[in-house]
Amino acid sequence: MNRRADDDALIRAMPVVFVLIWSTGFIVARYAMPYAPPMSFLALRFLFSILCFLPWIVLARVAWPQGRAQWFHLAVVGVLLHGGYLGGVWSAVKAGMGSGLSSLIVGLQPVLTAVWLASRGSAVSRRQWLGLGLGFGGLVLVVSAKFGQGGEATAFNLSLAVMALLAITMGTLYQKRHVAPCDVRTASAVQLGAAFLVTLPLALLETGPMTWNVALVGAMAWSVLGLTLGGSSLLYLLIQRGAATAVTSLLYLVPPCTALLAWLLFDEPVTAATLAGTAVTAFGVSLVVRTPRTSG
């Protein structure tokens, strides 16, 4: 009984741990960017992650995805979710955007997904439409307060963050439609391989040097072990154990969590407009992703 209670407590804690890990991704980007060009860092992150996954796959004797079609679909997802999403976020941070704002923009992914599904004929409730409006309005409030007068938001870094938002949205929708269930380790290896092939040429075009120091090594280690291996594996376990709904409902907590970490670590300003806009956006997204209660 005690062991079962411990297992249940661990399962309940997993979504919260996942959200905390996900939030650190934006912090790591801000932490590493003074010492590395974004594409060069990501190319090495993808390569090191692959080198970690391969021995794990061999030792566990995990089956690889079946058929060329699945490899192609996984590669497309990898380019979008790893190359496009991470590339956009890291480039936006490199261009001066704060961690909190970048996480808030890409945190609208559930909202953008709902809009897409509605355009394809899927039913969107009035509650969800209200959430869409609130999410967008909160983001406008935050972004407008950060434009001009030396603010962190510019047309350039905003376009990069929006590109990341579009990439993660398209990647999620594509994966749901085309990718068959398979082991997360082999799927991740294929996705990371595709992202590496796309990111490497962009990294070779960058002129800034990689300044290896304790900060950059720590950021790389956490990106590979914590975010790629740990985060992906934890998400896989959550889905396998039936806790995917809890993860979805908690994702809207990522922007405020990131903003708090950025304030503590980098002294990123948190104004009244930022707090209000983040709260409105978080509430709006929660209305969109909340699973309706069934009667009975």
Side-chain angles (χ1 to χ4, degrees), residues 100-228:
L101 181 56
S102 60
S103 70
L104 183 63
I105 292 174
V106 299
L108 288 177
Q109 185 262 338
V111 177
L112 194 60
T113 300
V115 172
W116 170 259
L117 293 176
S119 70
R120 305 292 292 181
S122 298
V124 178
S125 67
R126 284 181 292 182
R127 170 180 57 79
Q128 289 177 313
W129 282 120
L130 174 62
L132 295 176
L134 289 173
F136 181 76
L139 178 61
V140 170
L141 179 61
V142 173
V143 173
S144 62
K146 295 179 180 291
F147 254 120
Q149 299 179 349
E152 65 183 77
T154 65
F156 178 63
N157 60 28
L158 272 178
S159 65
L160 292 171
V162 171
M163 182 193 77
L165 170 61
L166 294 175
I168 191 175
T169 303
M170 291 187 295
T172 301
L173 292 170
Y174 189 93
Q175 179 173 340
K176 287 183 178 180
R177 179 166 184 172
H178 296 290
V179 176
C182 56
D183 189 273
V184 67
R185 290 161 290 190
T186 53
S188 296
V190 175
Q191 291 175 0
L192 290 165
F196 173 74
L197 293 177
V198 170
T199 307
L200 180 60
L202 298 176
L204 295 176
L205 294 176
E206 292 178 325
T207 56
M210 296 277 289
T211 305
W212 290 101
N213 52 31
V214 175
L216 186 57
V217 171
M220 181 66 74
W222 179 250
S223 294
V224 173
L225 301 177
L227 292 170
T228 303

Side-chain angles (χ1 to χ4, degrees), residues 1-14 241:
M1 290 294 294
N2 290 335
R3 182 174 181 180
R4 182 173 181 179
D6 292 341
D7 291 341
D8 291 341
L10 180 61
I11 292 172
R12 288 194 298 269
M14 279 183 177
R241 292 173 179 266

Side-chain angles (χ1 to χ4, degrees), residues 190-268:
V190 175
Q191 291 175 0
L192 290 165
F196 173 74
L197 293 177
V198 170
T199 307
L200 180 60
L202 298 176
L204 295 176
L205 294 176
E206 292 178 325
T207 56
M210 296 277 289
T211 305
W212 290 101
N213 52 31
V214 175
L216 186 57
V217 171
M220 181 66 74
W222 179 250
S223 294
V224 173
L225 301 177
L227 292 170
T228 303
L229 274 73
S232 297
S233 301
L234 184 56
L235 179 60
Y236 172 75
L237 291 175
L238 287 167
I239 295 173
Q240 289 294 101
R241 292 173 179 266
T245 302
V247 176
T248 303
S249 65
L250 283 172
L251 280 179
Y252 64 87
L253 295 177
V254 169
C257 183
T258 302
L260 177 61
L261 290 173
W263 173 68
L264 291 172
L265 296 175
F266 306 117
D267 199 27
E268 288 188 10

